[in-house]
Amino acid sequence: MTDIALVTGANKGIGLETARQLGQRGIQLLVAARDQAKSEAAAAQLRSEGLDAQGLVLDVGSDASIEHAAAEVAARHAKLDILVNNAGVLFDDPDLTPSQQELDVWRRTYAINLFGVVAVTRAFLPLLRKASAARIVNLSSILGSLTLHADPGSPIYDSTMPAYNSSKSAVNAWTLSLAHELRDTPIKVNSVHPGHVKTDMGGQRAPMAIVDGARSSVAMATLAADGPSGSFTHLGKTLPW
Ligand SMILES: NC(=O)c1ccc[n+]([C@@H]2O[C@H](COP(=O)([O-])OP(=O)(O)OC[C@H]3O[C@@H](n4cnc5c(N)ncnc54)[C@H](OP(=O)(O)O)[C@@H]3O)[C@@H](O)[C@H]2O)c1
């Protein structure tokens, strides 16, 4: 049976490219975006490239949308092999210090980057359990590394965006919790740092092309049975928590 992958925030950036690269491996794609027009446009683009892609409306910040999407996928498919929790937001104001960031920024960031990931995973876990060996990939960031933030010599020491950074630290903690829960199953759950990638979020001065920014997610989404679970990596290299 063909493998099926769901990628959130797949209408642009790293998510769209992750879906493309999974599709190029013969995997059936559920191209999720918060807006129907965006999800359909991205799925149509991937179909025009010869890939097997269907749009799916999924706003990871809405319980109703998540519930509706999970019911729709369950009605159409008997299982889900790959879930890539890719959707993410960055709202911190770079001109403010950590203590000056508005509380609303923290709330809106956590709603998508953490609660969205947890809620989507919970909703799709029953279908993931029906696959023979599902893979869950959580898009974290090197900016979620507490070890590197504590090191004045690290390249991210001055990247203080507290809401975004700590939301990714929390994603890493969630990855470990879920990997622990699923440790006696064939399901693997891992966090990845995609790199500093040229997207709307990463900015045009970012050093990494989108095609390379998707590679860490694709690698973890297609892990062999002897691959890790509960890891935090970038292009196969382990990052410090
Ligand atoms: N780019 C980098 O350098 C970098 C570095 C480290 C980690 N990351 C992580 O990689 C992931 C992808 O980032 P990117 O650079 O590709 O960012 P991007 O180009 O800004 O794309 C973000 C995606 O998330 C979607 N999204 C936002 N809120 C959503 C919601 N409520 N429901 C569903 N989808 C939603 C966006 O949809 P809309 O188009 O509708 O807004 C878009 O598809 C993120 O988790 C990010 O934190 C990126």
Side-chain angles (χ1 to χ4, degrees):
M1 215 193 297
T2 310
D3 279 357
I4 306 170
L6 191 166
V7 182
T8 65
N11 53 295
K12 67 177 186 181
I14 295 166
L16 176 59
E17 180 59 25
T18 299
R20 175 179 286 119
Q21 291 182 20
L22 290 173
Q24 288 166 349
R25 291 172 176 237
I27 295 167
Q28 195 178 341
L29 304 170
L30 298 171
V31 182
R34 57 175 145 177
D35 175 276
Q36 177 146 28
K38 286 179 183 174
S39 72
E40 288 305 333
Q45 169 63 38
L46 294 174
R47 282 196 299 273
S48 78
E49 298 171 20
L51 307 180
D52 182 351
Q54 293 298 320
L56 180 73
V57 179
L58 177 47
D59 179 342
V60 309
S62 158
D63 293 349
S65 176
I66 294 168
E67 204 177 305
H68 189 265
E72 199 178 319
V73 174
R76 281 199 244 151
H77 302 283
K79 53 152 193 170
L80 181 64
D81 300 277
I82 296 169
L83 172 63
V84 183
N85 284 306
N86 169 83
V89 290
L90 196 176
F91 294 133
D92 297 70
D93 182 338
D95 295 328
L96 299 180
T97 66
S99 65
Q100 289 171 334
Q101 304 289 340
E102 296 291 342
L103 204 55
D104 186 51
V105 163
W106 286 81
R107 291 201 175 98
R108 290 189 295 128
T109 303
Y110 271 64
I112 304 306
N113 289 6
L114 179 63
F115 305 146
V117 171
V118 174
V120 168
T121 306
R122 280 167 47 86
F124 285 93
L125 203 49
L127 270 181
L128 289 159
R129 286 186 187 276
K130 289 183 182 164
S132 59
R135 304 287 179 252
I136 301 170
V137 183
N138 295 328
L139 271 281
S140 179
S141 169
I142 194 171
L143 295 175
S145 170
L146 297 175
T147 304
L148 294 178
H149 280 297
D151 176 2
S154 101
I156 63 152
Y157 185 66
D158 292 322
S159 300
T160 52
M161 300 186 289
Y164 180 81
N165 295 355
S166 66
S167 74
K168 296 300 189 179
S169 310
V171 165
N172 284 348
W174 163 244
T175 293
L176 287 174
S177 297
L178 190 61
H180 181 273
E181 176 180 341
L182 299 174
R183 66 193 182 284
D184 295 326
T185 78
I187 304 177
K188 295 182 189 297
V189 48
N190 291 290
S191 279
V192 298
H193 167 53
H196 186 196
V197 184
K198 255 188 233 334
T199 62
D200 287 350
M201 183 187 289
Q204 285 314 299
R205 278 196 238 151
M208 189 178 259
I210 292 182
V211 68
D212 294 319
R215 295 199 199 287
S216 294
S217 297
V218 172
M220 287 295 145
T222 56
L223 267 185
D226 61 353
S229 188
S231 75
F232 179 29
T233 59
H234 169 62
L235 294 175
K237 284 199 182 139
T238 298
L239 291 173
W241 298 109

